[in-house]
Amino acid sequence: TVKNAKIIAGELNIGVFEAAVSSKDDVPRAFDRLLGRCQAIWAPVDSTVYGVESSRYIILLTLRKKIPFMVFSEGYVKAGALIAAVSDYREQGVLAAEQAIKIFEGTPVGQIPLLGPVHPKIYINSKVAESIEADIPEDVVKTADKVY
């Protein structure tokens, strides 16, 4: 979530700027406002933002401006984003089953923590990295699930 990202970014002394949108039509203005302030753009999952036109706009803009674009889907990496961290759905299913077992054993639901991805799948577009002159650490490249 954006809330969690802000907490982690704060611990790393990284600023986070938000650009709220209420429809896909708001995307160009929102991204234009971010461009002068950001060294990279992270896009969490948001069905309000992502359509064919808005996605194309974001990818082309970040490529032209040489801004790393970090996303939530392998498809966006194939299309021109730099990198994605994607939930491993099998892992998420196992975690959900473990939580269900705790509930069936009597643990109150309020005492069971929300869990996010533990080992996300990493996808990298090496052509984009070269094009925007982004240096991705070799250990990240080696552990990626797929490099395009």
Side-chain angles (χ1 to χ4, degrees), residues 18-33:
E18 287 183 75
V21 297
S22 56
S23 76
K24 292 174 181 68
D25 294 337
D26 296 339
V27 170
R29 270 191 318 278
F31 270 79
D32 289 344
R33 283 194 312 268

Side-chain angles (χ1 to χ4, degrees), residues 102-115:
K102 289 178 185 175
I103 293 168
F104 290 133
E105 291 174 341
T107 303
V109 174
Q111 292 180 8
I112 299 173
L114 292 175
L115 300 175

Side-chain angles (χ1 to χ4, degrees), residues 119-132:
H119 301 100
K121 292 183 178 271
I122 304 296
Y123 300 99
I124 298 170
N125 189 320
S126 62
K127 292 175 184 158
V128 169
E130 184 178 324
S131 172
I132 68 171

